[in-house]
Amino acid sequence: MSVRTIRKHLPLIAVTASALALLSACGEPLSAEGREVDTDDTVVAFDIPPPTVTGSCFRNDSFTRIECSGSASGGVAPYTYQWQMAHNLDANPDPVNFYWRNGSTTFSEPCKYDLFIGGRYYTKYIRFRVLDANNYVSNFIEQPFICWTPNP
């Protein structure tokens, strides 16, 4: 080879050698061959159960309101607390027929109850659930209450 031929191919040789050196020097091997892999600490999304809720409601002393509190466990915090108020006045009280409202761990809803003349008694359903950080939906809890309205 002449000097002229070497000079002509020198940039190509330099680029190829640099690329080869760079590719062989960077990173780790692509496979786990030859090294121990610890899988005991690996968290898989399927290992995280959805959240569960507990709670209770009661009538206040004057029988005019329902006061509720709830809590959540499991899943991934933070939680979005949701409450639903359903009734059987002129609608089917199934959960799919009413909206879930974002709130906190407490909820208060008017509900008069006494011996009234006229008006109408109906059942009000208070429901509680949470969404976790992964948007997994918990179970819901429900408590029914008899309420009165002056409207027939």
Side-chain angles (χ1 to χ4, degrees), residues 19-104:
L20 197 70
L22 184 63
L23 287 173
S24 65
C26 292
E28 296 180 5
L30 294 177
S31 69
E33 291 180 37
R35 60 186 169 122
E36 186 83 19
V37 177
D38 182 16
T39 58
D40 292 338
D41 295 334
T42 303
V43 176
V44 179
F46 302 119
D47 292 342
I48 302 171
T52 57
V53 295
T54 58
S56 63
C57 297
F58 63 92
R59 289 185 192 278
N60 67 357
D61 292 337
S62 61
F63 288 89
T64 58
R65 297 193 74 75
I66 300 168
E67 306 290 336
C68 302
S69 65
S71 63
S73 62
V76 178
Y79 304 116
T80 301
Y81 301 97
Q82 294 186 325
W83 294 90
Q84 184 183 74
M85 187 284 302
H87 57 76
N88 66 350
L89 280 169
D90 293 316
N92 181 338
D94 286 343
V96 296
N97 295 330
F98 291 86
Y99 293 102
W100 288 95
R101 296 179 273 181
N102 290 347
S104 66

